[in-house]
C-alpha cells in the first residue's frame, strides 16, 4: 500500500466526521455570539426607550437643583423638588448626604449605563429591594433572575416588595394572564451638579409590561428552538457519517469468505503496528501462507466446500495469534500473517508448528501448505540505537514473503522458506535476463555449442546435440542453467528454440557445402511449442530456407511434453517423420509415464536419462533398468542414446548391451561449432 493510499484511509473518519463536528461547533458559536449581541442591543434598546422619560425627569430635577442652589434660598428649591413626588438625595463632594426626600433605599452597587439615544453614560445605582415569594412554608427571598423566570413561566405566585420595613404587594394581577400589567423596577440615576462638587441622585423606574416580556421570551424560545433543530440535524449528520464510515470500512476491509479481514486491512493494520513506538524493539515476520492445491480441491469438492475449508483454516490461525499479531485472507488460496519473532529459526519453527496443526484439521483430506517468511528487523540509527520504524511499506515485506514462498512451488509437500539476500539477487537476475533477452537474441549473443555423440563399440563420431550458451558483453559467459529456466517460465524459450534450429540448419548447410562428413544434430524443442498445430511445417520451412538436409536434423522432445495434448503431439510427430526428420525423446525415465508414451508415440530415438548411472544402485538395479530399456527400444525399432556417461566402465557396459550412441564427458564436453567442425574433419 502506497503512503498516499494509507493516508487516505486514515483520513476517512477525520475528514467526514470531525469536519462535521467542527462545523457544528462553529455554527453553535456563531449562534451564541449572535444571540448575545442581539440581547445586548435589545437590552440597550429597551433600556433607552423605557428609561428616556425617567432620565429626562431626573435630569430636570438635577437642573432645577443646580440653578436654584446658585440663586438661594435652598428651602424653596427643596419644596419644588419634593413636590415632584420622587425620592432623591444630594451628596456633597465628601459623600455626605446634604438633603434627601422619601425612602433612601439606594445601594452601593454602581455602574455606568447609556440611558439615552445619544449614548451619554451616567452613573446608576441599584435599589435595596427585597423580593419574596410566598409559598406554603412562608416567605422565601428571591432575586431578579428568579422573579423574571417566574414571570416568564406565568406561575401564579405572590411577590412582595419590602422597603425599610414597609411591605408593598407587587401587582398581584401581574402574574395572572393579563399581558397589559407592568413591572416597575427602581433604579437610582446620578447627575453631577455645581461643577461636579455635588451629586444629585434621583429614583427612577424601569417599567416593562408583559407584552415586552412575551416578545422577549418568544424570541428567546425561537433562538433556543433553532439551536435545538440545528443541533439535531448536526448530530444526525454526524451519526450518519459515523455509520457510513463503519460501513465503508467494512466494505473496504472485510473478507466475504472468512468473515474476517482482507489484504487491504492487513496492509493498513500491519503498518500501524510496525510504526508504533512501543513496538520499535520487537522483530516481526510477514508470512505468506499458501494452501497447496486449493484449486484442485475446489474442482473435486466444489468452490463452496473450498471456501468452507478456508474459513476453518482462518479461524484456526486466528486462535494461534498473540498480542500485536494479525491474520488476513489475501487471495483465494493464501493467508497473510504478521507475527512476533526473535530470529529466522524461531519463526520458522513456529510456522512449521502452525502448518502441522493446520494439516490435522481435516481427517478426510490431506492438506499441504507452503509458507514464505519476510523478516522485519528492528531499525537502528548510525549510533546503533534502536529507532522507531517510519514510513514502512508492508506490501514490500509481503512481496518478499511471496518470493520466498514461490521457491517451494515445485514441491507438493509442506515447507517453509525464509527470504534473504540470495533471493533478492535471484530476483534481480531474473529481471536482468528478462530485460535483456530480446536484445541478446537480436544481437546474436546466444551461441550454439555442440556435444558429440559416439558409438560405444567403434568410438566413432555418429551425432551431436545442439546446446545453447550466452556470451553477454555485460555479464560475460552465462551457463544455460542461469537463464533457460527463466525462459521456460516466461515463454521466451519458444524464441530460443527457433533461434537454435535456424543456426544449426545454417551450420549444417555450410558443413555440407564444405564436403564434411556431417552427422545428425539434435535440436531441443520445448513442450510450449506443441500447442501449435503447424509446428512441423514451421520446422520444415526453417530447415529448407537454410538449405540443410532434413535427415541430418533431429527434433528432440522432453518427456514432459508427453503430458500435454497427446493427439496434437502424435499428429506433429507423424508429420515431422513424413517430412524426413528424426524425432527423439529426451530424459527417458525421469517421469512417470514413459512406457505409456513409448506405446503411443512413433519415436525414432530414445535418450536414457543420466540418473540411471548415478547413485548407490547404479551398479545393480540401475544396470538392469538400462539393459531392459535398450532391449525394449530395439524391439520397437528405436535407437538409443545414453547421456551423462563419464567413466570407461559405463562405456563398456553400454557397448555390451548394444547401446547405439553415448553422450557425455567421457568422450567430449559441449564445444563451440569450430571445435566440433574439427572433430568432424
Amino acid at each position: 500500500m502506497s503512503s498516499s493510499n494509507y493516508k487516505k484511509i486514515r483520513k476517512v473518519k477525520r475528514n467526514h466526521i470531525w469536519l462535521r463536528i467542527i462545523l457544528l461547533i462553529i455554527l453553535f458559536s456563531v449562534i451564541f455570539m449572535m444571540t448575545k449581541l442581539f440581547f445586548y442591543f435589545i437590552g440597550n434598546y429597551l433600556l433607552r426607550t423605557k428609561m428616556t422619560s425617567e432620565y429626562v425627569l431626573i435630569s430636570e430635577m438635577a437642573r432645577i437643583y443646580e440653578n436654584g442652589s446658585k440663586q438661594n434660598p435652598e428651602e424653596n428649591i427643596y419644596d419644588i423638588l419634593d413636590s415632584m413626588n420622587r425620592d432623591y438625595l444630594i451628596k456633597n463632594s465628601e459623600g455626605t448626604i446634604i438633603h434627601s426626600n422619601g425612602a433612601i433605599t439606594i445601594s452601593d452597587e454602581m455602574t455606568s449605563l447609556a440611558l439615552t439615544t445619544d449614548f451619554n453614560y451616567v452613573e446608576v445605582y441599584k435599589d435595596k429591594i427585597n423580593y419574596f415569594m410566598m409559598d406554603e412554608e412562608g416567605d422565601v427571598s428571591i432575586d431578579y433572575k428568579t422573579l423574571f423566570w417566574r414571570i416568564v413561566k406565568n406561575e401564579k405566585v405572590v411577590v412582595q416588595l419590602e422597603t425599610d420595613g414597609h411591605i408593598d404587594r407587587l401587582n398581584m394581577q401581574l402574574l395572572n394572564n393579563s399581558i397589559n400589567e407592568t413591572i416597575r423596577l427602581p433604579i437610582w440615576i446620578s447627575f453631577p451638579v455645581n461643577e461636579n462638587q455635588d451629586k444629585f441622585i434621583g429614583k427612577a423606574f424601569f417599567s416593562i409590561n408583559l407584552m415586552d416580556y412575551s416578545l422577549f421570551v418568544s424570541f428567546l424560545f425561537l433562538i433556543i428552538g433553532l439551536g435545538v433543530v440545528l443541533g439535531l440535524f448536526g448530530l444526525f449528520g454526524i451519526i450518519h457519517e459515523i455509520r457510513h464510515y463503519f460501513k465503508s470500512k467494512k466494505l473496504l476491509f472485510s473478507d466475504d469468505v472468512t468473515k474476517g479481514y482482507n489484504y487491504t486491512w492487513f496492509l493498513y493494520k500491519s503498518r500501524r503496528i510496525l510504526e508504533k513506538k512501543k513496538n520499535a524493539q520487537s522483530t516481526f515476520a510477514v508470512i505468506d501462507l499458501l494452501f497447496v492445491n486449493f484449486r484442485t480441491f475446489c474442482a473435486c469438492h466444489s468452490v463452496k466446500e473450498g471456501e468452507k475449508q478456508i474459513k476453518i483454516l482462518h479461524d484456526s490461525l486466528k486462535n494461534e495469534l498473540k498480542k500485536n499479531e494479525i491474520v488476513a485472507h489475501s487471495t483465494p488460496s493464501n493467508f497473510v500473517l504478521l507475527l512476533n519473532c526473535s530470529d529466522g529459526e524461531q519463526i520458522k519453527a513456529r510456522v512449521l508448528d502452525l502448518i502441522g496443526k493446520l494439516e490435522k484439521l481435516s481427517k478426510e483430506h490431506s492438506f499441504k501448505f507452503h509458507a514464505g517468511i519476510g523478516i522485519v528487523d528492528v531499525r537502528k540509527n548510525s549510533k546503533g540505537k534502536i529507532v522507531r520504524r517510519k514510513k514502512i511499506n508492508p506490501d514490500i515485506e509481503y512481496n518478499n514473503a511471496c518470493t520466498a514462498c514461490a521457491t517451494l512451488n515445485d514441491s507438493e509437500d509442506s515447507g517453509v522458506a525464509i527470504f534473504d539476500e540470495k533471493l533478492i539477487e535471484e530476483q534481480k537476475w531474473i529481471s536482468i535476463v528478462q530485460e535483456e533477452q530480446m536484445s541478446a537474441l537480436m544481437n546474436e549473443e546466444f551461441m550454439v555449442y555442440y556435444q558429440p555423440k559416439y558409438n560405444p563399440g567403434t568410438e566413432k563420431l555418429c551425432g551431436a546435440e545442439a546446446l545453447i550458451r550466452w556470451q553477454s558483453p555485460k555479464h560475460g559467459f552465462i551457463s544455460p542453467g542461469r537463464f533457460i529456466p527463466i525462459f521456460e517460465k516466461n515463454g521466451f524459450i519458444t524464441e530460443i528454440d527457433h533461434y537454435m534450429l535456424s543456426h544449426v540448419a545454417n551450420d549444417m548447410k555450410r558443413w555440407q557445402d564444405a564436403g564434411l562428413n556431417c552427422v545428425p544434430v539434435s535440436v531441443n524443442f520445448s513442450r510450449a511449442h506443441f500447442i501449435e498445430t503447424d509446428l512441423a511445417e514451421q520446422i520444415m520451412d526453417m530447415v529448407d530456407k537454410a538449405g540443410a538436409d532434413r535427415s541430418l536434423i533431429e527434433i528432440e522432445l522432453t518427456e514432459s511434453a508427453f503430458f500435454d495434448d497427446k493427439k496434437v503431439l502424435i499428429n506433429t510427430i507423424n508429420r515431422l517423420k513424413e517430412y524426413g526428420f528424426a524425432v527423439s525423446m529426451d530424459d527417458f525415465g525421469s517421469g512417470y509415464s514413459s512406457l505409456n508414451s513409448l506405446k503411443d508415440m512413433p519415436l525414432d530415438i530414445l535418450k536414457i536419462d543420466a540418473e540411471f548411472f548415478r547413485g548407490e544402485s547404479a551398479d545393480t538395479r540401475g544396470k538392469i533398468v538400462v539393459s531392459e530399456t535398450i532391449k525394449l527400444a530395439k524391439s520397437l525399432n528405436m535407437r538409443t542414446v545414453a547421456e551423462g556417461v563419464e567413466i570407461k566402465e559405463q562405456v563398456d557396459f553400454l557397448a555390451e548391451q548394444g547401446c547405439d550412441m553415448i553422450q557425455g564427458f567421457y568422450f567430449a564436453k559441449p564445444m563451440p561449432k569450430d571445435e566440433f567442425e574439427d572433430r568432424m574433419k
Side-chain angles (χ1 to χ4, degrees), residues 67-113:
N67 292 335
S69 62
K70 293 178 181 179
Q71 298 173 0
N72 280 322
E74 294 183 359
E75 290 79 1
N76 294 333
I77 299 171
Y78 296 144
D79 290 339
I80 295 172
L81 294 175
D82 293 345
S83 65
M84 299 178 77
N85 295 321
R86 285 299 175 99
D87 298 343
Y88 68 91
L89 62 98
I90 301 169
K91 289 184 178 181
N92 59 21
S93 58
E94 297 176 355
T96 303
I97 298 176
I98 57 178
H99 181 75
S100 65
N101 179 61
I104 307 305
T105 58
I106 186 172
S107 70
D108 295 329
E109 295 183 47
M110 184 272 290
T111 187
S112 296
L113 294 177

Side-chain angles (χ1 to χ4, degrees), residues 40-245:
Y40 173 78
F41 287 114
I42 287 295
N44 279 279
Y45 169 76
L46 289 175
L47 190 63
R48 288 192 297 272
T49 55
K50 300 296 183 180
M51 292 296 295
T52 299
S53 60
E54 294 292 298
Y55 174 85
V56 171
L57 176 61
I58 303 302
S59 64
E60 180 64 18
M61 293 177 67
R63 187 185 62 80
I64 292 172
Y65 168 74
E66 185 174 27
N67 292 335
S69 62
K70 293 178 181 179
Q71 298 173 0
N72 280 322
E74 294 183 359
E75 290 79 1
N76 294 333
I77 299 171
Y78 296 144
D79 290 339
I80 295 172
L81 294 175
D82 293 345
S83 65
M84 299 178 77
N85 295 321
R86 285 299 175 99
D87 298 343
Y88 68 91
L89 62 98
I90 301 169
K91 289 184 178 181
N92 59 21
S93 58
E94 297 176 355
T96 303
I97 298 176
I98 57 178
H99 181 75
S100 65
N101 179 61
I104 307 305
T105 58
I106 186 172
S107 70
D108 295 329
E109 295 183 47
M110 184 272 290
T111 187
S112 296
L113 294 177
L115 300 180
T116 62
T117 55
D118 55 2
F119 291 93
N120 287 326
Y121 282 83
V122 295
E123 293 181 355
V124 295
Y125 296 83
K126 290 184 179 180
D127 191 86
K128 291 181 179 179
I129 297 177
N130 295 319
Y131 293 93
F132 293 89
M133 181 182 70
M134 299 182 64
D135 57 15
E136 295 179 356
E137 298 181 0
D139 296 346
V140 179
S141 178
I142 60 175
D143 54 15
Y144 277 177
K145 185 177 179 181
T146 305
L147 174 65
F148 169 76
W149 283 111
R150 293 289 177 180
I151 296 171
V152 169
K153 291 160 60 176
N154 200 25
E155 293 185 359
K156 294 183 178 180
V157 295
V158 176
V159 178
Q160 297 186 138
L161 197 147
E162 181 178 358
T163 305
D164 291 342
H166 179 72
I167 297 178
D168 294 321
R169 290 186 176 275
L170 178 65
N171 287 330
M172 292 183 60
Q173 297 297 320
L174 171 69
L175 299 178
N176 295 320
N177 292 327
S178 175
I179 64 172
N180 295 318
E181 297 295 342
T182 302
I183 294 178
R184 300 173 71 240
L185 300 177
I187 185 172
W188 295 81
I189 304 175
S190 175
F191 290 94
V193 294
N194 296 332
E195 298 179 354
N196 295 327
Q197 296 298 315
D198 300 331
K199 282 186 179 180
F200 183 90
I201 305 174
K203 187 176 185 179
F205 290 93
F206 180 71
S207 302
I208 301 179
N209 59 33
L210 286 186
M211 177 62 76
D212 298 323
Y213 277 115
S214 299
L215 293 175
F216 176 81
V217 172
S218 298
F219 183 79
L220 178 63
F221 279 108
L222 178 64
I223 294 296
I224 294 174
L226 179 62
V228 170
V229 171
L230 291 175
L232 289 176
F233 273 108
L235 289 175
F236 176 78
I238 292 172
I239 293 172
H240 174 75
E241 286 298 332
I242 292 174
R243 293 182 61 189
H244 175 72
Y245 166 74

